[in-house]
């Protein structure tokens, strides 16, 4: 059992909505995500990737968007634009 499956089980115990459970469950298994959960799973996978990059100190303008996740297909291009801009400003402030 991986952490996505464990988290999905826990979310079920807490009676959370199936959309959230599916998104968490499939965030590392995007190719296996059912249509109803795919877009949300992509968003969770992207957030997970950003968190890992930040934790390793590798978050920058060039690495903000995970290249294998198609954010445009789930309507998140504007979110990426805003986050990229915020990342650039944050890096300018912190350096």
């Amino acid at each position: 059992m991986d952490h996505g499956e464990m988290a999905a089980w826990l979310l079920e115990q807490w009676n959370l909505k199936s959309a959230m459970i599916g998104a968490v469950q499939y965030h590392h298994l995007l190719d296996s995500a059912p249509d109803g959960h795919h877009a949300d799973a992509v968003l969770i996978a992207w957030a997970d990737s950003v968190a890992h990059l930040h934790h390793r100190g590798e978050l920058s303008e060039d690495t903000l968007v995970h290249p294998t996740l198609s954010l445009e297909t789930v309507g998140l291009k504007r979110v990426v634009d805003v986050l990229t801009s915020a990342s650039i400003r944050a890096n300018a402030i912190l350096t």
Side-chain angles (χ1 to χ4, degrees), residues 31-54:
D31 291 336
S32 301
D35 288 340
H37 298 295
H38 189 264
D40 293 333
V42 168
L43 179 57
I44 298 293
W46 176 80
D48 187 49
S49 295
V50 169
H52 285 289
L53 290 170
H54 175 70

Side-chain angles (χ1 to χ4, degrees), residues 4-66:
E5 293 169 320
M6 177 59 79
W9 175 84
L10 184 60
L11 296 177
E12 281 181 4
Q13 304 311 301
W14 292 345
N15 295 314
L16 294 178
K17 296 185 181 221
S18 66
M20 181 177 286
I21 295 167
V24 170
Q25 181 176 359
Y26 292 104
H27 77 277
H28 286 299
L29 305 167
L30 296 177
D31 291 336
S32 301
D35 288 340
H37 298 295
H38 189 264
D40 293 333
V42 168
L43 179 57
I44 298 293
W46 176 80
D48 187 49
S49 295
V50 169
H52 285 289
L53 290 170
H54 175 70
H55 180 71
R56 294 191 310 253
E58 298 173 8
L59 186 61
S60 70
E61 178 183 0
D62 294 331
T63 58
L64 184 59
V65 180
H66 195 288

Side-chain angles (χ1 to χ4, degrees), residues 1-2 8 22 26 34 36 38 51 55-56 61 64 66-67 71 77-80 87-88 91:
M1 178 177 284
D2 67 21
Y26 292 104
H38 189 264
H55 180 71
R56 294 191 310 253
E61 178 183 0
L64 184 59
H66 195 288
L71 295 174
K77 171 118 175 59
R78 179 70 184 129
V79 173
V80 172
S87 175
I88 293 168
N91 283 334

